[in-house]
Amino acid sequence: MIITLKKDIDGQQKQRLMQKIASCGLKAESSVTNGKVVLSLSGNTYAVDTEILRAFSIVESVKRIEDPFKLASKSFNPCGTEVSVNDVKIGKGNFCLIAGPCAIESERQIVDIAEKIKDAGANLLRGGAFKPRTSPYSFQGLGKEGIRLLLKAKAETGMPVVSEITCASQEDLFYDIDVVQIGARNMQNYELIKKVGQMKKPVLLKRGISATVEEWLLSAEYLLTEGATDVILCERGIRTFEPTSRYTLDLSSVPVLKERTHLPVIADPSHASGNARFIEPLSLAAAAVGADGLMIEVHSQPEEALSDGAQAITPEALKLLCQKVKYILDANKKF
Ligand code: PEP
Ligand code: MN
């Protein structure tokens, strides 16, 4: 961290600042550039709130040159993290396909989709029981009953399951759910995130619709500091000025994350585009930029879906997509 002080500063004020720096457990090396004192700080700088240092009137600027997160940073585990969900591995060269309906609607619906996506090549089954809908009039999910039906589909197919938690009081219901999803709307719900971290289960952390990569990684840091070890990041699109798709899938976040964190990152083209026609091209692009997997909404009858039908692809389309993705993954491995 670099602190530049204003010109012609008062010695007493500088002493107060140096005391503050020392009380934060940091060391400061002082030098002079263009007549200004520049302090170069070392130590546990990610634990220091830069605003506290900016509050000193003699401080001109404070610049972080290191990440504000520690456990999520690439330097903490330069080889990368491989998340294990039962027999499924995610990250470090293991590509995973998570598929299933937006919402669990009935036993027949979820078991039927589960069997078909397994046949298409999916590794994990997704399905929402608690649906955070924009409108209170939209289908809100089957709640506890939905979790029961998802576990039934897990028992019938042997596929691990992913479902979204929306409130810490749902914790007990998620006991047999293999991956706990934190949705885009809750990426900055820190009390929920802390509780989910304490569950010590694999977590799928979606990117908030207006969250920067750094804010997203700080949310992951909350999970890791609370004890979660298996955290998967999921790029699901951000809100931009562009109205031709539901959100804008920020695929540049994938190579950026590969540089800054050891956590696996997957892409969700379904919520990003909101349009079934765009799922295949965006999935191929995500595989090409190095994503560790995909999360795709699938429905046997998209036109009958109780939520997000316009972005759901059929199990047949998923099978074809899977075959095409394999070509991209093989091409990536060749070089
Ligand atoms: C979902 O995956 O069903 C969902 C609601 O996604 P997001 O949180 O990305 O909107
Ligand atoms: Mn959905």
Side-chain angles (χ1 to χ4, degrees):
M1 188 183 289
I2 306 287
I3 303 180
T4 305
L5 305 186
K6 290 175 186 162
K7 271 189 177 157
D8 307 322
I9 52 167
D10 168 296
Q12 247 186 347
Q13 280 188 307
K14 186 179 171 200
Q15 209 184 346
R16 273 185 47 231
L17 174 66
M18 297 306 265
Q19 278 166 356
K20 184 74 192 172
I21 290 169
S23 75
C24 292
L26 303 178
K27 273 192 171 170
E29 295 256 355
S30 183
S31 58
V32 179
T33 308
N34 296 333
K36 291 178 187 172
V37 175
V38 176
L39 303 172
S40 171
L41 308 195
S42 57
N44 190 7
T45 53
Y46 51 78
V48 177
D49 184 351
T50 52
E51 294 307 313
I52 289 176
L53 302 171
R54 279 197 190 95
F56 283 79
S57 60
I58 55 166
V59 170
E60 184 175 276
S61 68
V62 181
K63 202 169 159 205
R64 258 189 202 284
I65 50 170
E66 69 290 298
D67 285 327
F69 42 85
K70 177 190 176 195
L71 303 178
S73 79
K74 182 84 178 180
S75 53
F76 190 76
N77 181 7
C79 297
T81 288
E82 181 182 277
V83 168
S84 294
V85 182
N86 304 350
D87 290 340
V88 181
K89 308 238 175 296
I90 306 158
K92 282 183 90 171
N94 301 287
F95 191 86
C96 88
L97 178 60
I98 306 173
C102 179
I104 302 147
E105 299 169 4
S106 67
E107 179 172 337
R108 226 173 109 189
Q109 175 245 20
I110 191 70
V111 173
D112 175 54
I113 296 175
E115 283 165 350
K116 288 174 176 163
I117 61 151
K118 187 178 180 186
D119 172 63
N123 312 104
L124 280 93
L125 171 67
R126 64 148 285 147
F130 298 95
K131 295 304 305 172
R133 306 303 301 281
T134 304
S135 165
Y137 303 112
S138 301
F139 176 59
Q140 303 286 308
L142 297 180
K144 189 175 171 185
E145 174 64 1
I147 295 287
R148 190 183 72 78
L149 300 180
L150 186 62
L151 293 175
K152 189 117 206 241
K154 172 180 169 175
E156 302 242 340
T157 58
M159 252 191 301
V161 291
V162 186
S163 202
E164 178 172 352
I165 192 167
T166 54
C167 176
S169 64
Q170 294 156 0
E171 178 178 350
D172 290 350
L173 296 174
F174 281 73
Y175 189 76
D176 291 319
I177 299 295
D178 303 284
V179 180
V180 180
Q181 178 173 326
I182 294 174
R185 290 156 188 81
N186 277 316
M187 192 212 83
Q188 287 180 311
N189 182 344
Y190 301 117
E191 291 311 311
L192 174 65
I193 295 180
K194 283 195 263 180
K195 279 273 182 272
V196 171
Q198 289 159 13
M199 287 165 77
K200 306 220 167 30
K201 274 180 165 286
V203 183
L204 182 83
L205 178 64
K206 287 207 161 188
R207 181 179 186 176
I209 64 169
S210 55
T212 63
V213 164
E214 196 162 291
E215 287 163 347
W216 188 12
L217 286 171
L218 283 166
S219 289
E221 187 79 5
Y222 267 100
L223 288 167
L224 298 168
T225 54
E226 292 295 332
T229 51
D230 292 327
V231 178
I232 307 154
L233 301 165
C234 179
E235 167 61 57
R236 50 80 70 211
I238 50 175
R239 181 159 280 168
T240 66
F241 53 83
E242 178 52 59
T244 52
S245 58
R246 192 176 176 190
Y247 296 92
T248 299
L249 186 63
D250 177 17
L251 282 181
S252 60
S253 73
V254 177
V256 168
L257 285 164
K258 291 279 159 201
E259 277 187 11
R260 295 191 67 182
T261 182
H262 55 89
L263 300 172
V265 52
I266 69 167
D268 169 355
S270 305
H271 290 89
S273 69
N275 189 331
R277 294 200 312 282
F278 302 147
I279 305 306
E280 186 182 292
L282 292 176
S283 297
L284 299 178
V289 294
D292 298 298
L294 291 164
M295 182 186 235
I296 297 178
E297 287 194 344
V298 177
H299 202 286
S300 303
Q301 290 170 290
E303 62 288 351
E304 301 292 334
L306 297 182
S307 67
D308 285 350
Q311 67 197 34
I313 61 169
T314 61
E316 295 72 34
L318 183 75
K319 196 167 190 168
L320 186 61
L321 182 154
C322 236
Q323 289 161 1
K324 292 190 182 180
V325 164
K326 281 205 180 88
Y327 276 100
I328 304 275
L329 297 176
D330 287 345
N332 276 351
K333 278 186 199 139
K334 281 206 175 114
F335 299 99

